[in-house]
Amino acid sequence: MSTENDTEGETTRITRKGQVTIPKELREEFGLEEGDELLWQKAEDGIRVRKATQSAGRGMLVDDDVPDEKREEMAEEMEAEIRERRRTEWQP
C-alpha cells in the first residue's frame, strides 16, 4: 500500500460509534499520533481526510525578525511538548 500512486489502498470498517482505524503505515508516514486532530472535507470524488494543523496561529507571538527556520523549529518543539503532555497528563 505504500506507493504514491496506489488507488486501491487499504480498507477499514466503521464501528457502531462511527470510529475508524487509520492503518499503521499511514499513521507513521504522516506522523499521526494519539490526540492529533483530523480535518474531514467533502470532495467531488468522496471524502478527504487531512491532518489538521495549527499553522494559522504560528508566529503571532514571535518577533518579525525571527527567521522562518527558527519559527518552524519552535513550532515543532511546541507540538512535541503538547503530544507528550497528552500522553502523560491527559490520560484517564
Side-chain angles (χ1 to χ4, degrees):
M1 180 177 83
S2 63
T3 63
E4 242 177 71
N5 295 326
D6 189 359
T7 57
E8 298 272 329
E10 183 175 331
T11 62
T12 58
R13 294 191 188 277
I14 300 174
T15 69
R16 197 173 324 151
K17 294 182 178 183
Q19 299 169 329
V20 296
T21 299
I22 302 167
K24 182 179 180 182
E25 185 175 313
L26 292 175
R27 291 192 316 264
E28 290 174 350
E29 182 177 344
F30 293 99
L32 299 173
E33 297 183 2
E34 181 179 346
D36 284 347
E37 292 184 11
L38 299 177
L39 177 63
W40 296 77
Q41 297 175 312
K42 291 181 190 179
E44 285 185 27
D45 59 344
I47 299 171
R48 178 178 298 126
V49 181
R50 298 183 342 177
K51 182 176 181 179
T53 62
Q54 303 293 329
S55 61
R58 284 188 184 173
M60 290 179 18
L61 302 177
V62 180
D63 292 333
D64 290 337
D65 61 347
V66 174
D68 288 342
E69 288 178 4
K70 181 65 176 171
R71 288 174 185 264
E72 191 61 34
E73 179 184 321
M74 293 168 69
E76 289 173 6
E77 289 172 2
M78 286 189 284
E79 288 173 3
E81 185 176 330
I82 290 168
R83 283 192 186 99
E84 182 59 29
R85 286 188 180 186
R86 284 179 181 154
R87 280 189 216 126
T88 59
E89 296 175 15
W90 300 349
Q91 294 293 324

